Amino acid sequence: MINHILKASLDRNLTISIVYQKGSELTQRDIKVIGIDEKSIKAFCFLRNQLRVFSKENILSASLKIRNIERVAK
C-alpha cells in the first residue's frame, strides 16, 4: 500500500503525508515524490523545505492529504 501511495504522488503530483523513522527518531512529513527507485525515493520535504532522499524501508506509513482527495473527487 505504501508503494501505491508513493507512486500516486509521483504520477499525479500529489502531496502525501509519511511517518518516517531514522534511528530512534520518528517524524511526520508532508512530501511530494519526484523519483522512485528500488530502495529509496527522492522527494520535496515540506518540513525541511528542501529536496531529500528517503529510504523506503524507513517509511512506516503513507497517506494522501485531505486536500488531494477533494481535488481528485472534483
Side-chain angles (χ1 to χ4, degrees):
M1 186 64 152
I2 291 174
N3 283 329
H4 178 74
I5 292 171
L6 295 173
K7 186 156 175 28
S9 174
L10 176 65
D11 293 346
R12 298 182 186 150
N13 196 34
L14 299 174
T15 300
I16 61 173
S17 182
I18 64 169
V19 175
Y20 191 74
Q21 181 175 10
K22 187 171 183 182
S24 62
E25 181 182 1
L26 287 177
T27 57
Q28 182 170 348
R29 300 163 183 253
D30 290 343
I31 63 169
K32 194 174 284 190
V33 178
I34 297 168
I36 301 174
D37 67 28
E38 193 173 309
K39 294 186 178 187
S40 65
I41 64 164
K42 184 176 184 179
F44 183 82
C45 175
F46 292 95
L47 177 67
R48 304 290 185 224
N49 203 31
Q50 60 183 303
L51 290 177
R52 306 289 281 219
V53 176
F54 299 95
S55 172
K56 281 184 175 182
E57 68 181 16
N58 292 346
I59 298 173
L60 303 180
S61 69
S63 60
L64 293 174
K65 301 290 290 177
I66 295 294
R67 67 176 177 261
N68 290 327
I69 294 169
E70 292 169 351
R71 186 175 85 180
V72 171
K74 289 183 180 180

